[in-house]
Amino acid sequence: MNYDVIIVGGGPAGLITAKEVASAGYEVCVIEEHQEIGYPTKCSGLFSVSGLEYLGLNLEPHLISATIRGGRFYSPSGKEITAYSDVERARVVERKLFDKFLAREAARKGAEIKLKTRAKGMSIRDGVNIRVKGVEGEADLRASLLVGADGVKSNVARWNGIKTPSKIVAAAQIEVDDVDIENDIAEVYFGRAYAPEFYGWILPKGDVYEVGVGVGRADGRGPIEYLNNFIKNHPIAKNKIQSSSILEVNLGAIPVDYPVQTVRDRVLLVGDAAGHTKATTGGGVITGGIAAKIAGNACVKALENENYSENFLRREYERKWKDEIGHELKVHASLRKLFDSMSDDDLDVLFEVAIEEKISDLMVKYRDTDRPSEFVAEILKKDRVVEVIQRFLDVESLM
Ligand SMILES: Cc1cc2nc3c(=O)[nH]c(=O)nc-3n(C[C@H](O)[C@H](O)[C@H](O)COP(=O)(O)OP(=O)(O)OC[C@H]3O[C@@H](n4cnc5c(N)ncnc54)[C@H](O)[C@@H]3O)c2cc1C
């Protein structure tokens, strides 16, 4: 079968790319190995309001489980910062339904979606040849371009010798029915005993809650062990989590470093496959979605010009996503390096200074968590904050 573009991966990045390509009238096929779009879920579904608006996603109300107006952050020793205002900052979205919504949008523009079909290998000669295995057995599909939207362990990246971000966080999350937190505040917990080199979280989701941890440093214990420890032993969180019944378990990995390379001749990487995630929070749907729109447009340009070279794709895709979100992703990656190099005591000192300097006011003012550079520029005007940070990181890397 011949297509203009084949996309491996039916997650948000692949589906948003597909919609862009199909909207321009080109033949696009999304290959998804699972039998259902959106399943298994590996996400909390927390998306910024500004990001959803930027992507032009008018979500139907039943997709939205909660509206988040603030964040509460706990230091390793329990110091607390709350940043809250009446403004709607983020939505907690039912990710399974969200992905299906994106799939519907892409399909209505003409994209074909092949479920239960796994991409097994590829070759490039006068086009891209993709070997797939699906319900009807093995077949070869051909296209002018291939988009790797196949997530954090991207095979498309591996097949093309593209290095993907080296730092990966392993995450585990459960959905439970009874937690004692406000219904519009996301809670974040730092501390190496519970979530080394990442954080733990509790998120309200309508009439249920999500409780999770990410683990950025492997020490033989997996994220589920860390999650159990967080739920049972964290001095603050354990008193809030009252459920004994688990309604859902999500396990996954998150790339938390700046993307290395995202194009080759006839090949583009997008979303987690490329590393388009925020290295601070691990959120990747909005930033991956922004890159996906650019990837879709780049595919259209390449098809119009019949130019599929790495140079063309670098100009039309890699440079453009870097212009749009590259600096912000770099700031996220530098902040991740900062937090990873701080001990629990260091983080407590940072919290102390942040509380005294009323950083929560700035968090309220600069609430776009996808694009933290303005917030960071403001806190770098505070000498005491810089004093703490510069012991761990070249402050220039945050500018
Ligand atoms: C526990 C957890 C919580 C998270 N919470 C949030 C959050 O609140 N907000 C947020 O923005 N982000 C969050 N993230 C990150 C977010 O889930 C990812 O950034 C996002 O899913 C990336 O989208 P994607 O389309 O790039 O990749 P994915 O969603 O991973 O989709 C890739 C798809 O490719 C398919 N695939 C892979 N290989 C093949 C193959 N060979 N053939 C066919 N199909 C293939 C997979 O089945 C998958 O469906 C979270 C991640 C985890 C693990």
Side-chain angles (χ1 to χ4, degrees):
M1 285 262 262
N2 282 338
Y3 297 93
D4 295 310
V5 181
I6 290 176
I7 298 173
V8 181
L15 295 168
I16 290 171
T17 309
K19 184 184 166 192
E20 293 299 316
V21 176
S23 297
Y26 288 102
E27 298 287 328
V28 54
C29 177
V30 179
I31 308 287
E32 170 53 52
E33 62 188 345
H34 291 106
Q35 65 191 36
E36 188 178 350
I37 292 290
Y39 184 85
T41 309
K42 297 173 181 173
C43 190
S44 314
L46 182 67
F47 309 145
S48 65
V49 170
S50 54
L52 289 169
E53 276 169 7
Y54 186 89
L55 291 175
L57 297 175
N58 289 320
L59 300 182
E60 298 142 359
H62 73 277
L63 269 66
I64 300 165
S65 307
T67 294
I68 300 298
R69 294 184 179 80
R72 179 164 294 129
F73 303 84
Y74 291 99
S75 78
S77 74
K79 291 181 179 45
E80 182 188 320
I81 297 176
T82 301
Y84 183 89
S85 78
D86 278 347
V87 180
E88 298 184 356
R89 295 168 71 108
R91 307 222 185 281
V92 185
V93 170
E94 186 56 69
R95 179 62 202 267
K96 295 178 209 74
L97 301 181
F98 177 75
D99 286 18
K100 286 205 175 101
F101 165 84
L102 297 177
R104 254 189 340 263
E105 289 222 311
R108 281 179 188 153
K109 294 290 178 194
E112 180 181 339
I113 299 171
K114 283 185 190 288
L115 295 179
K116 222 167 164 32
T117 304
R118 181 171 169 71
K120 291 185 65 186
M122 61 168 286
S123 58
I124 296 184
R125 195 185 314 141
D126 301 330
V128 192
N129 201 60
I130 318 283
R131 187 89 184 142
V132 298
K133 186 171 182 196
V135 276
E136 288 164 9
E138 296 211 5
D140 288 314
L141 306 180
R142 281 188 64 77
S144 299
L145 287 162
L146 172 67
V147 176
D150 49 345
V152 60
K153 290 178 186 148
S154 171
N155 278 311
V156 174
R158 188 168 54 81
W159 293 332
N160 288 281
I162 300 180
K163 259 184 87 185
T164 46
S166 53
K167 175 132 189 176
I168 305 285
V169 163
Q173 174 184 272
I174 53 171
E175 193 173 284
V176 292
D177 69 328
D178 195 5
V179 177
D180 185 17
I181 61 168
E182 282 106 314
N183 63 8
D184 60 353
I185 295 190
E187 297 202 345
V188 172
Y189 295 79
F190 293 99
R192 284 185 180 265
Y194 301 98
E197 297 191 6
F198 213 59
Y199 61 90
W201 65 89
I202 308 180
L203 197 61
K205 191 183 174 191
D207 53 359
V208 291
Y209 302 84
E210 289 174 336
V211 181
V213 297
V215 179
R217 166 174 289 200
D219 64 356
R221 280 182 295 166
I224 290 193
E225 281 168 277
Y226 273 102
L227 181 58
N228 279 332
N229 186 39
F230 178 69
I231 292 165
K232 288 195 188 118
N233 300 320
H234 191 284
I236 299 167
K238 75 173 181 196
N239 296 321
K240 301 192 183 197
I241 303 163
Q242 284 149 11
S243 307
S244 52
S245 301
I246 296 173
L247 310 175
E248 187 171 322
V249 179
N250 297 160
L251 295 173
I254 308 170
V256 288
D257 204 350
Y258 189 70
V260 185
Q261 189 188 354
T262 58
V263 288
R264 275 271 201 264
D265 281 350
R266 292 187 184 270
V267 177
L268 303 83
L269 292 184
V270 66
D272 278 19
H276 288 132
T277 45
K278 299 179 280 182
T280 47
T281 65
V285 170
I286 298 296
T287 42
I290 292 170
K293 281 192 98 148
I294 298 168
N297 287 325
C299 289
V300 171
K301 281 234 167 87
L303 290 160
E304 282 167 358
N305 290 279
E306 295 185 15
N307 188 342
Y308 311 110
S309 68
E310 185 174 326
N311 274 344
F312 187 85
L313 296 175
R314 184 169 297 115
R315 196 168 65 237
E316 290 301 326
Y317 173 51
E318 196 163 274
R319 280 205 198 137
K320 287 188 176 169
W321 76 249
K322 283 185 178 169
D323 286 348
E324 186 57 45
I325 49 165
H327 178 60
E328 302 296 340
L329 293 184
K330 270 192 181 146
V331 171
H332 281 291
S334 294
L335 287 171
R336 166 68 26 231
K337 287 200 176 82
L338 170 71
F339 295 139
D340 288 355
S341 51
M342 293 177 105
S343 68
D344 280 357
D345 288 345
D346 299 323
L347 268 170
D348 268 305
V349 171
L350 186 61
F351 263 72
E352 250 168 56
V353 172
I355 291 166
E356 285 163 20
E357 296 284 344
K358 297 194 169 34
I359 296 298
S360 58
D361 293 347
L362 293 177
M363 288 172 153
V364 168
K365 185 171 175 198
Y366 298 98
R367 57 179 166 273
D368 188 345
T369 51
D370 301 323
R371 299 171 190 265
S373 61
E374 281 191 353
F375 166 71
V376 167
E378 278 305 308
I379 61 168
L380 291 181
K381 290 180 187 161
K382 311 246 177 213
D383 292 345
R384 294 187 59 216
V385 174
V386 174
E387 226 171 84
V388 178
I389 290 177
Q390 68 189 6
R391 287 171 34 217
F392 303 96
L393 189 80
D394 177 4
V395 175
E396 295 278 314
S397 71
L398 289 167
M399 291 171 170

